[in-house]
Amino acid sequence: MTAGPPSTYPRTAVALHWLLVLLIVVLLASGWHMVGIPTNTPARGFFFNLHKSLGIATGAAILVLIAWRITHSAPPLPAAMPGWERLAAGISHLLTYALLVLMTLTGYLTSSFSKYGPKLFGIPLPHWGWDDAALRAGYAAVHRLTILVFVVLIAIHVAAAVKHLIVDRDGVFRRIASW
């Protein structure tokens, strides 16, 4: 008798998932905090540079996760799971990946069209633009809107995970939290 497919994600996927959770929480918190700091202060520069650096590092982790996910299939969902939940799970995961890429890209472009440019922990990175307030504001607006949509998606994702953990008790939560 052969063993069936694994019911949990491999350690690599679990590690990438929870690393991204941590990085995204820090990015959301630092982003929220930094916009309230008075302009032209050392604290504001510190938090903007930290946010940019963490955003770029997160972008790299996102690309690794997407590459990993393209080359590895997810563990199967429970057979008893309704079709609409399977569809919702698939759509939410695709939307999550798309929003992660869009947030990273618009953040980088916002920085590229400022006089400060993108930096990774103090190291200047390729500057795709020039100091242009209108373009910077446009990319920043898309960045903020994407974040708002992403936060709603996170809330739905967490609510669904809690439902599967507490109400359904169907093992779906254990797929990514196998500890």
Side-chain angles (χ1 to χ4, degrees):
M1 181 157 141
T2 61
S7 60
T8 61
Y9 281 97
R11 288 182 183 156
T12 302
V14 172
L16 284 169
H17 175 271
W18 292 108
L19 173 65
L20 280 171
V21 168
L22 175 65
L23 288 169
I24 289 165
V25 167
V26 171
L27 281 167
L28 290 171
S30 67
W32 181 272
H33 176 71
M34 72 187 193
V35 296
I37 299 173
T39 57
N40 299 320
T41 62
R44 186 173 174 99
F46 170 80
F47 276 99
F48 266 80
N49 285 322
L50 177 65
H51 185 80
K52 290 177 188 182
S53 296
L54 291 174
I56 292 165
T58 303
I62 290 164
L63 292 177
V64 170
L65 176 67
I66 290 171
W68 189 93
R69 186 62 188 87
I70 287 170
T71 59
H72 297 79
S73 58
L77 292 167
M81 180 183 274
W84 72 268
E85 282 188 13
R86 291 171 181 277
L87 179 62
I91 291 170
S92 72
H93 281 96
L94 286 175
L95 186 56
T96 297
Y97 295 140
L99 291 173
L100 286 169
V101 170
L102 185 59
M103 277 186 297
T104 305
L105 186 59
T106 56
Y108 196 91
L109 287 169
T110 299
S111 186
S112 284
F113 286 95
S114 80
K115 64 183 175 184
Y116 302 106
K119 293 178 184 156
L120 180 62
F121 300 107
I123 300 167
L125 295 177
H127 212 174
W128 294 351
W130 52 93
D131 190 13
D132 187 315
L135 283 172
R136 182 175 59 252
Y139 287 122
V142 174
H143 189 66
R144 286 189 301 272
L145 178 62
T146 305
I147 290 164
L148 292 174
V149 173
F150 187 66
V151 167
V152 170
L153 187 61
I154 289 171
I156 293 168
H157 183 76
V158 170
V162 169
K163 173 193 172 283
H164 284 287
L165 177 66
I166 295 173
V167 177
D168 296 344
R169 297 179 188 210
D170 57 6
V172 169
F173 183 82
R174 189 173 51 245
R175 291 163 23 117
I176 200 68
S178 55
W179 58 82

